Amino acid sequence: MKPLACMLAAAALLPALARAQSAAPDDPATADASPSSTEQGQTPLDEAFVPRDRAAWIRETRLQAWRDTAFDVQARTFYLDRDKYDDSQSTAWALGGSAGFKTGYFRERFAFGATGYTSQRLYGPDDKDGTLLLKPGQEGYTVLGEAYGEFLINDDTRLKLGRFGIDTPYVNRNDARMTPNTFQALTVQGVYGGDGGAPQWKFGAGYFDKIKERNADTFVSMARDAGAPSWVDRGVYTLGANYTRDRLSAGAIYYHSNDIISIFYTEAKYAFPLGDTAKLNLALQYSDQDSAGDNLLRGDEFSARQWGGKLELGYKGALFTTGYTRASGGTNMQNPWSGYPGYTSVQVEDFNRNGEGAWLLRAAYNVQSVKGLSFYALYVDGSDPDAPTDYAKDEYNLNAQWTAADGPLKGLMMRVRYAHVSQKGPQTSDLDDLRLLVYYDPPGL
């Protein structure tokens, strides 16, 4: 408890306060909009790199340094209880959060920021480790997860250097526990056009040297985190772009780690309006993964790929989704540095094993009569993978969330998530996963 108290006390000394960088996964600002089918921890390609639109980008880059120094405090508590296939259990309850700041731009060119994170054990038996809410051994931790400088090349382009969080499909915060992934990296990001309905381009490029995993207090090599031997030290180069015009969005991104792995990902979306209150969205995705160079990740060559499609029907406060993915190529797909972007990746399972196909059905609703209250339920039906020792799985998810958008509890978010996974053959076995989350962003900060 003491590390968190110290962080919050230090926060009060900074001159100005602003929105959290590590906000709750479901933004309260979107409470009255149509719900989303994006799972916690995922990053769609059209939301990668930079703010959603050029106007938001320019507003952010025109801050004045000290007067507009922004400060973020967020408190979190998280309870997770998982009964696994082998009848073992992982259970913990943690309390923590984050405190950080970002300055405005000095001489309209340079800004810097930092964020500290903490997660402390309230409850966690030693024999029930593995929730990822705490360090291995059910230990609490405190870490300076972000410390970076940002250079404004022009209103449209930024260079960032240091340790910070970022969101792309295969390198992202994966903020689905107490603290997010952050990276030691150098990136260049930009957003061009988009004013007055004009087409918009977003791009990002960078080199990611190290990662701090969600439940860690140290940074390690990206190659080591992916599973390479401890003596291997390799980073990840990445380059990507996304194009948006009217109802169309399309883009691609490439990741390469020398002697480790190469990943190509592309995604396209198109919206079909159906009157004033309904909309049909079609999305397609494709991932391709290959070994690289001297094959230091596994010691031999490998290849994997997955494609997927998703159809969404939005009507007033409801969203109905169906999706399908199929993995192939000879080995299972990997997500070494983030949440997995596949359309059938849900609370527990990713449904990305070699030869595995999966269907998704999902229904979400933002309650119109109770502001900030939303629900969703989903079902994923997976097929048998190609490996003879792997078996088909089905998963059910239920989610209820309430966000206080105004009043004395403004800034409070409460969420309940439940998942049940059934594994078929040779003997049926089940997994149950219950999560209780409370996030609080003080509205005056």
Side-chain angles (χ1 to χ4, degrees), residues 168-201:
T168 73
Y170 277 97
V171 173
N172 62 52
R173 291 179 174 88
N174 194 12
D175 194 8
R177 291 296 193 274
M178 285 295 291
T179 63
N181 294 338
T182 56
F183 305 89
Q184 181 171 293
L186 168 68
T187 63
V188 179
Q189 303 170 72
V191 57
Y192 308 97
D195 294 330
Q200 180 183 90
W201 280 98

Side-chain angles (χ1 to χ4, degrees), residues 49-71:
F49 308 122
V50 297
R52 291 173 180 266
D53 56 66
R54 188 170 184 271
W57 171 277
I58 292 176
R59 284 196 301 272
E60 188 176 342
T61 58
R62 289 180 174 172
L63 300 176
Q64 297 181 31
W66 291 122
R67 182 176 64 84
D68 291 314
T69 295
F71 183 50

